[in-house]
Amino acid sequence: MRFLKLASAWALLSLILAACAQAPPTAQEIMERMRAAREQIGSGHAIIDLVLDTPEHNGSYTLEAWGAKRDRTDAAGQPIGQARIRIVRASQAELTGAELVNDGTTFWLYHPAANRVFTGALGELRQGRIGAADPTAQMLRMQQALQHILDGSNVTLEGESVAVAGRDTWQVLLTPKPETAADLGLGSQLRVQLWIDKATNLPVKGVIDGGALGHLEATATTFEIDAPLPPEVFSFTPPAGAEVIDLAEVARNARPQVVTLDEARAQVDFPLLTPAQLPAGVQLEQVQVLKLRGQTVIQNFNGPILFSLVQGRGELPSEQQAPAGAEVRQVQVRGVLGTMIIGNETERGTLLRWRENGVTLVVAGTLSPDEALAIAESLRAAE
C-alpha cells in the first residue's frame, strides 16, 4: 500500500513538473530573450518583404540586408554597427537597386535612377547636423522610435505557436505606455505586433499599425545569423559618372548665412532690390543668404513694424499655404499679378508675393496691406 501511495505521489509530481516544463514563457520573458539574442548577434543577413501604406508613401518592396558589429564602441559605449540594405524589388520601379551602406563611420545612399549618391559622416547624421528631410536621417529616427517603443510598451502574448516563413513563432502585442506615446506624439492609436522565432529568439515579422498615420508590415523570408561577411560588404564606391552630394554641405547651405548687403549682391545672379521707402522708424537689421534649392536673399527689417523682404530663384521658404481664416487676394504689384494673404485674428499681418524677371519676391510681416504694397512699389536695384 505504501508503495502504491508513493508511486501515485511520484506520478502526480511528474505530471506537475511536465506541465511546468511545457508552460510557455510570459510575454515579458520572450522580450527579454529577444533583447539578449540581439545583443549576442555578431552579424546577420536577411531577405525582407516590406509593405508600406501611409498618407505620404505606399508600396511593396523586397530588401536584402546585411549587418555586423565592429570590434569598437561609440562614445556611449554601444557597439558600432555596420549595415547594407539593397532594394531588390519595388512597386516603384525607380527605387529598384537603391542602396544604403554604412561602414560604421560613413554612410552612402545611392539612387540608381538618378545616378546620385548622398554621403556624410554617420555621427553628424545622428546628432542632427545633416538635413532632417534626408531619407537616411528619417530611417535612423525610425529605428530610434522603434527602440523607444520596445522599451516603453506593455507586452501581451497573443499566440503561442504561429507559423511565419516556415518558422514556429510567438506572437506578441506591444501597446505603448501613455508616457511613451506622449514622447513620440503618437496618441493612443499605435499597435505593434512582433512574431519571435522560437529557435533564435529573434523577430521574423513585425507589423506597425498607426491608424491614420499608416501601416507597415515586414517579414524576413530568410535570414542567417553570424555568417562570415567580408569587409567589402560594408564599403561603397560611387558608380562612374554619379553625382555625389555631401549632406553636410547641403545642411550648411540650408542654414542662412549672415552677410552684408554688398556681399549678398555678389552671391546672386539677379539684381537685388531694396526698399527706397520705409515706414517711419524702420531700418534694415540683418541680411541673410540661403543657398538651398536656389539662391535666396532675406532682408530683415526692425522697428515699429517688423517685416522681411525675401527674393530669389527656386523654391522660397515662404511659399506655404494661407492659414485657416486668412483672406487671400489677387492684386496688381509692380505691373504683374501677385498674391496677398491677410492674416486672421490670431495670425495678424500681411504677406505679399509676386514674380518678376524670373525672381520670386515676398514682403511679409506685421504690415497692413497698404504698407506691404507701398514697400513693394518702392523697391529699387542698387545703382
Side-chain angles (χ1 to χ4, degrees), residues 348-371:
R348 297 182 180 277
T350 302
L351 183 148
L352 175 63
R353 180 172 60 236
W354 73 100
R355 188 169 179 83
E356 61 177 272
N357 300 320
V359 177
T360 300
L361 296 97
V362 176
V363 175
T366 58
L367 302 155
S368 69
D370 289 342
E371 288 170 332

Side-chain angles (χ1 to χ4, degrees), residues 4-18:
L4 291 175
K5 289 183 179 179
L6 181 61
S8 298
W10 180 257
L12 180 59
L13 179 60
S14 298
L15 288 172
I16 293 172
L17 291 175

